[in-house]
Amino acid sequence: MTNPLNTLTGRLVLVTIMAVLLSYTVAFFIYANERGAALRRAAETAVIERVAYTAERLRETPSSQRAFMAETIRDFSIRYSVDETPSITASSPSGPGARVSRAVAQRIGGDVRGSSRTVEAPSRRWRVLRDGPPGEGREFGHRERRDDAGEGPMVRSTEVSLSVQLDNATWLNARARLPGPRPAPFSVLVGALVSIIAVGIGAALISRQIGRPLADLANAARALGSGQANVSAPVSGPDDVRRASTAFNAMAERLGRQLNRQRQMLWALSHDLRTPITAIRLRAELIEDEATRQRLLGSVEEMERLTEQALSLARAGASEEARSTVDLAEIARTLCGELQDMGVNATADAPQAVMAECRPSELARAMRNLAENAAKYGGGGMMRVYRSPANEVVVEVSDDGPGVAPDQLSKLAAPFFRADDARSEANGAGLGLAIAQAIAEAHGGRLVLENRIPRGFSAKLVLPG
């Protein structure tokens, strides 16, 4: 199964979504930071104004009534008390408490001290939902009995303590809660999710408009490479892809014309060469001297074999034979049986059916060449047909011969090349492997040649599954 991330559509969608997600993440953190800072400033300003207002009113109140008046003040987030000593002995040098105390001092004057700390307490929103809003049977200052099972989620907040000097004998002590970090609004998260989905769908549609014509172009190129005639790619998609498809179609048409001319030339050449060779054979048969006649006939047979192999190489992969799905294991067994009847040492090890789409006659020719090479140069060949772990069809012919020098392996499939040493002792034109390679490439496959360990040689026709 193809990994969707290996396709153009998958990668474009992934990159687009990752870019949008990254931008939303950065924007979210910036927004959350600015939102939290704005909420903290607003909360501090509210505490400053309310504490300053309360202190001013208490300064105008007689000393004997200040404590009672402070107890009667109902403030949702601030608790007041009037005492003879301040609850804060020294102001904090920095933090929310220091900022609030300095602002209160600037407003009303006098000695104002402040400090702050981070505390964890049950969510105020949860308490309001549980107990009802103020004024419905309870007051803001009313304290409920703590019940660990019903306190709700704990949240972090900042507690600011202030001590404001009212006169030489009394201090106003206040304790306020500033809101802690708040989660982002649900609408922001929903908006981000909807945006990511919309952008992903848009990227998928755009990449599909580009990817489908490219896939058609790749399929047409693969078909052309496998030897199919009259191949063309649909001209669709963006202008750049349309130009590429149009250029490919023009190239395929030119290649088709050239291949047709080549085939016609080869067929004419085949006819023209056979006629003089046949004439030479007839004249050689009339020679009375036996030794001379045999030498001449041997040369004629070599010319005939070389001509046929050269024409076979030129025609390899250019056959007009229709493709069909066949059992290569059955072809291997039949082929090896025919070769054994001709005295060629070739055996088949292909007990299980291996189906493949190919040109049967062409592929049988390539398999025959490999088997004959193994018998000629290695003393005998074993033909195996199987599927590789990559689901490719493999036709392997191996022998126990001397093998080939490592530096000559890459040259073996070159036309008219014959390796030195033991493998060159037999006669041959050096075209068998070149023909097999051309046929394999025309089927979209490859020919793999390698030495066996400790001895022997292996030739593999590897075809797409």
Side-chain angles (χ1 to χ4, degrees), residues 51-349:
V51 171
Y53 175 80
T54 301
E56 288 177 343
R57 299 290 77 78
L58 289 176
R59 284 180 177 178
E60 298 173 355
T61 303
S63 300
S64 60
Q65 299 179 8
R66 289 174 180 172
F68 173 76
M69 186 175 181
E71 291 179 358
T72 59
I73 297 176
R74 295 293 180 261
D75 199 316
F76 187 70
S77 60
I78 305 178
R79 297 294 180 266
Y80 299 101
S81 65
V82 175
D83 304 297
E84 296 180 355
T85 58
S87 61
I88 307 299
T89 57
S91 294
S92 300
S94 60
R99 291 194 298 270
V100 172
S101 62
R102 286 195 295 268
V104 172
Q106 291 176 358
R107 279 176 172 265
I108 63 175
D111 188 2
V112 181
R113 306 172 186 178
S115 65
S116 59
R117 62 172 183 165
T118 301
V119 297
E120 288 190 358
S123 172
R124 184 180 301 144
R125 291 183 179 181
W126 186 89
R127 291 201 304 268
V128 171
L129 290 174
R130 181 194 65 183
D131 300 331
E136 295 185 3
R138 73 181 185 92
E139 298 177 344
F140 277 117
H142 181 67
R143 289 182 172 271
E144 299 287 345
R145 178 179 62 86
R146 294 183 63 88
D147 186 354
D148 293 339
E151 285 297 332
M154 304 294 288
V155 296
R156 300 183 64 184
S157 60
T158 302
E159 183 181 87
V160 175
S161 298
L162 298 172
S163 294
V164 182
Q165 188 176 22
L166 300 178
D167 55 28
N168 293 332
T170 56
W171 290 77
L172 172 63
N173 294 316
R175 183 164 51 89
R177 290 281 178 87
L178 301 180
R182 293 188 179 183
F186 183 71
S187 58
V188 174
L189 301 179
V190 172
L193 181 60
V194 171
S195 298
I196 291 174
I197 294 175
V199 171
I201 293 175
L205 294 176
I206 293 174
S207 61
R208 186 175 180 84
Q209 292 181 353
I210 301 174
R212 177 175 291 180
L214 288 179
D216 294 338
L217 181 60
N219 292 333
R222 189 179 299 108
L224 182 64
S226 63
Q228 296 184 25
N230 301 322
V231 176
S232 63
V235 181
S236 60
D239 289 342
D240 295 339
V241 181
R242 295 171 65 90
R243 286 197 297 269
S245 300
T246 302
F248 172 83
N249 291 338
M251 178 193 69
E253 184 179 357
R254 288 194 299 271
L255 287 176
R257 290 197 300 266
Q258 292 176 2
L259 289 175
N260 288 332
R261 287 196 297 267
Q262 184 185 36
R263 292 191 188 102
Q264 294 172 1
M265 181 189 68
L266 290 175
W267 291 332
L269 181 62
S270 174
H271 179 271
D272 293 344
L273 284 176
R274 286 194 181 101
T275 300
I277 290 176
T278 302
I280 294 174
R281 173 179 287 278
L282 293 176
R283 291 175 183 271
E285 293 289 347
L286 299 177
I287 296 176
E288 295 181 357
D289 183 71
E290 180 68 19
T292 303
R293 184 172 66 250
Q294 294 298 328
R295 286 197 301 271
L296 185 57
L297 289 176
S299 298
V300 171
E301 291 177 356
E302 182 67 20
M303 291 173 59
E304 288 178 337
R305 183 167 60 252
L306 180 60
T307 301
E308 290 297 329
Q309 289 188 353
L311 292 175
S312 297
L313 175 62
R315 289 194 297 264
S319 172
E320 295 182 355
E321 179 186 5
R323 285 174 173 260
S324 61
T325 301
V326 297
D327 181 7
L328 294 186
E330 178 63 27
I331 293 178
R333 291 191 294 267
T334 303
L335 178 62
C336 289
E338 294 175 355
L339 292 175
Q340 289 175 358
D341 293 340
M342 298 169 57
V344 178
N345 185 11
T347 57
D349 180 15

Side-chain angles (χ1 to χ4, degrees), residues 327-350 360-373 375 381-385 395-397 461:
D327 181 7
L328 294 186
E330 178 63 27
I331 293 178
R333 291 191 294 267
T334 303
L335 178 62
C336 289
E338 294 175 355
L339 292 175
Q340 289 175 358
D341 293 340
M342 298 169 57
V344 178
N345 185 11
T347 57
D349 180 15
S361 299
E362 273 197 351
L363 206 58
R365 175 62 185 273
M367 295 166 66
R368 177 185 291 271
N369 286 354
L370 297 183
E372 290 177 346
N373 271 10
M382 172 67 71
M383 182 177 295
R384 299 172 56 235
V385 182
V395 179
E396 180 181 4
V397 179
L461 282 172

